[in-house]
């Protein structure tokens, strides 16, 4: 369906509704006119219980003497009858009766039965008034219709101001954007930044590019997880190029009614092409750009139309005309392939989570306007925060500043920064447990993790052990990763499993099998995951270097013997976990003395940081153990 059809259907529908309502109302006015008698109207409206009766039944009532009074209207065509009968509960009630045209002897009969009756004449009304009142409502509807046509004209052309505003693009527009963001405010995503710097230079001096025949992309798609700086980039180019900037979220094109999203897209591009050179930024473009026909229950006509319109618009304007569409999404996999074709979003820029240096850069950007104390080490903070996005890091420093204000400090110290980091990583801290047997068990569990981890050669150092509950955990042990690890060795994976098992193993060794708790369930899940991936994805078991599962943990079909393969996978996973449990048990048993000592300290202090922990460990010299 094209937009004209839709428009016709809409108008058609409107017409039908108007005619229907018009008929109903003029009918209604007719009734009032015919009956126009105030007393009847009040009678009908005041006596809400007033019911109707057939003429035949009325005659029966008459014969039985149940009728008390009759009022005649409209030249004796209608009557209001006051009657009381056993079936009416012997209470007088008004009943309306339509009188057939031929029933001329009615008045005769009423006289015969000696019924009190009255005939009400039709009030004289001027012919003009009658005609006017009959014409008034239809006229109003015709006027409404004309109004609608004019609007729908706007609706299709999107020109001028439309009273309905439906087809207007909700995009926010800045003629000379001062977003306050420059490229200096963005760190850690250098590739995307340099790409955009090029686009800015095109917008500023297009001749330089067109002279040598270079084509600047029409569409740039920023792909990456939330909070990595995609919006920030778009704002920065608008600011640096100081060209008009339109920004809108994809979801603002998703509408109930077919054609409205498409009309908004049309409107947006129309405005943009009148203001070249300019940038159109569409955030969450997946809301409109989702693969067509992929929704639940087939397709979604409205969304598909909107997407088609977007495709058409992007095809419609020529390269080097100065409209650059920047889309942002974290779900490039669900985008319709047509969007990614040459001439549309032909340039894709991945904006990933920042690495260690990237995080350091971002922290520096956000630390600029904050009074950080000498003791705060941004390098250490960057080390501690793998997996953090730019937004998380900004939030971390902001939280620290809030904490500093709370503690009435003039500068932000290491304390506040660490507390903010703990909060963001582990959740809000709860109050420490009462001194119970459980608390002791948790202390052993955590120290179990910490000791095992710090004694293994291939494991990160302890950052903190605490008995203060956070999030869902009753206690926590943090390790500080030295580097972002993109490649992880087999022995490092084993070390992770052994350390993660350390908590449960400590419970078991110290308190005995009957006392172990459910608290380790998370640990066990992690252990199983790592071990399973070692077998099925990394080829790190005796099955050999075969990928047995894909990224979605779906088994890859290996021709007929999948059951046998499943058994072998399970076997290998068990072998790995059993081996790791043995290593963990040995470490716990060999270090029982120092474990007891550290647990005692931990129960007392509730939190031990990495340095405290190291000092305690150093009192005993044990060579590292290889996994
Ligand atoms: P996205 O659009 O990718 O979801 P935003 O650009 O809205 O993320 O980022 C949200 C906030 O996080 C920004 O306002 C900024 O404070 C911070 N931020 C994110 N990425 C970066 C970065 N690379 N450099 C500096 N700050 C960043
Ligand atoms: Zn644990």
């Amino acid at each position: 369906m094209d937009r004209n059809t839709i428009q016709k259907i809409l108008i058609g529908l409107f017409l039908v509704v108007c005619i229907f309502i018009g008929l109903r109302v003029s009918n209604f006015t007719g009734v009032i006119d015919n009956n126009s008698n105030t007393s009847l109207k009040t009678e009908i409206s005041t006596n809400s219980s007033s019911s109707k009766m057939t003429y035949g039944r009325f005659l029966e009532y008459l014969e039985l003497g149940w009728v008390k009074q009759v009022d005649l209207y409209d030249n004796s065509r209608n009557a209001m009858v006051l009657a009381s009968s056993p079936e009416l509960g012997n209470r007088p009630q008004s009943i309306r009766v339509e009188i057939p045209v031929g029933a001329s002897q009615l008045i005769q009969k009423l006289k015969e039965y000696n019924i009190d009756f009255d005939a009400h004449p039709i009030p004289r009304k001027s012919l003009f008034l009658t005609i006017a009142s009959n014409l008034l409502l239809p006229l109003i509807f015709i006027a409404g219709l004309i109004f609608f046509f004019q609007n729908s004209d706007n609706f299709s052309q999107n020109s001028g101001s439309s009273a309905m505003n439906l087809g207007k693009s909700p995009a926010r527009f800045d003629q000379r954007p001062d977003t306050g963001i420059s490229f200096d405010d963005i760190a850690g995503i250098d590739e995307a930044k340099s790409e955009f710097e090029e686009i800015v230079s095109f917008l500023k001096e297009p001749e330089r590019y067109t002279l040598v025949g270079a084509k600047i992309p029409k569409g740039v798609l920023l792909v990456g997880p939330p909070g990595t700086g995609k919006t920030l980039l778009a704002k920065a180019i608008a600011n640096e190029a100081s060209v008009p900037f339109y920004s809108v979220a994809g979801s603002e094109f998703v509408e109930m009614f077919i054609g409205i999203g498409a009309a908004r897209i049309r409107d947006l591009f129309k405005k943009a092409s009148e203001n070249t050179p300019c940038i159109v930024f569409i955030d969450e473009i997946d809301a409109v750009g989702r693969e067509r026909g992929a929704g639940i229950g087939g397709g979604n006509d409205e969304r598909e139309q909107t997407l088609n319109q977007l495709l058409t618009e992007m095809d419609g304007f020529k390269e080097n005309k100065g409209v650059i569409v920047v889309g942002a999404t974290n779900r490039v996999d669900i985008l319709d392939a047509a969007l990614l074709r040459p001439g549309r979003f032909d340039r894709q820029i991945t904006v990933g989570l920042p690495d260690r240096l990237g995080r350091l850069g971002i922290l520096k950007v956000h630390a600029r306007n904050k009074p950080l104390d000498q003791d705060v080490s941004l390098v250490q903070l960057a080390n501690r925060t793998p997996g953090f996005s730019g937004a998380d890091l900004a939030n971390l420093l902001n939280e620290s500043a809030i904490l500093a204000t709370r503690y009435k400090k003039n500068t932000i110290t290491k304390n506040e920064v660490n507390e903010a980091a703990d909060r963001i990583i582990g959740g809000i801290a709860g109050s420490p447990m009462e001194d119970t047997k459980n608390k002791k068990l948790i202390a052993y569990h955590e120290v179990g993790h910490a000791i095992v981890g710090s004694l293994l050669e291939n494991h990160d150092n302890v950052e903190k052990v605490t008995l203060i509950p956070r999030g869902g955990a009753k206690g926590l042990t943090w390790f500080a990763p030295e580097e972002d690890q993109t490649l992880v060795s087999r022995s490092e994976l084993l070390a992770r499993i052994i350390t993660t098992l350390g908590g449960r193993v400590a419970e078991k060794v110290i308190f005995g099998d009957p006392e172990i708790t459910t608290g380790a369930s998370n640990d066990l899940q992690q252990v199983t995951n790592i071990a399973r991936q070692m077998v099925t994805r990394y080829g790190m078991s005796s099955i050999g270097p075969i990928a047995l599962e894909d990224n979605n943990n779906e088994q890859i079909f290996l021709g007929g013997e999948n059951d046998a393969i499943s058994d072998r996978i399970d076997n290998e996973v068990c072998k790995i976990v059993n081996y790791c449990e043995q290593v963990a048990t040995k470490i716990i048993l060999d270090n029982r003395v120092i474990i007891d000592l550290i647990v005692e300290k931990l129960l007392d202090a509730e939190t031990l940081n990495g340095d405290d922990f190291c000092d305690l460990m150093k009192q005993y010299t044990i060579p590292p153990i290889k996994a």
Side-chain angles (χ1 to χ4, degrees), residues 461-480:
N461 290 330
V462 175
E463 156 93 29
K464 187 185 231 177
V465 190
T466 178
L467 293 182
I468 294 174
R470 247 176 223 286
K474 298 253 183 292
L476 282 168
T477 306
W478 269 300
F479 295 94

Side-chain angles (χ1 to χ4, degrees), residues 181 183-190 193 222-235 281 283-284 328-330 351-352 354 358 361-363 365-366 389-395:
I181 308 283
F183 281 129
D184 289 345
D185 298 325
I186 305 175
I189 40 177
D190 297 331
K193 231 169 96 174
L222 294 171
V223 183
T228 44
K230 300 183 291 296
T231 316
L232 211 59
L233 271 171
K235 283 185 180 164
F281 177 61
D283 206 355
E284 314 159 18
T329 179
N330 53 355
V351 185
I362 296 172
L363 284 170
V365 166
H366 289 279
S389 68
D392 294 333
L393 293 169
N395 184 28

Side-chain angles (χ1 to χ4, degrees), residues 445-446 449 475-477 499-504 507 519-524:
H445 178 108
E446 297 307 332
H449 285 308
L476 282 168
T477 306
T499 306
T500 313
L501 284 172
R504 159 53 67 85
E507 287 179 39
S521 72
N522 243 339
D523 293 344
L524 301 187

Side-chain angles (χ1 to χ4, degrees), residues 454 461-462 594 598 609-620:
S454 62
N461 290 330
V462 175
I594 190 168
I598 294 177
N609 63 33
D611 297 339
D612 303 340
F613 187 83
C614 268
D615 288 345
L616 287 170
M617 288 293 289
K618 272 187 199 134
Q619 299 175 17
Y620 296 76

Side-chain angles (χ1 to χ4, degrees), residues 55 74-78 97-107:
Y55 185 61
D74 314 333
N75 280 333
S76 304
R77 269 190 280 142
N78 281 297
V97 180
E98 262 179 52
I99 299 160
V101 184
S104 50
Q105 302 94 347
L106 178 63
I107 294 187

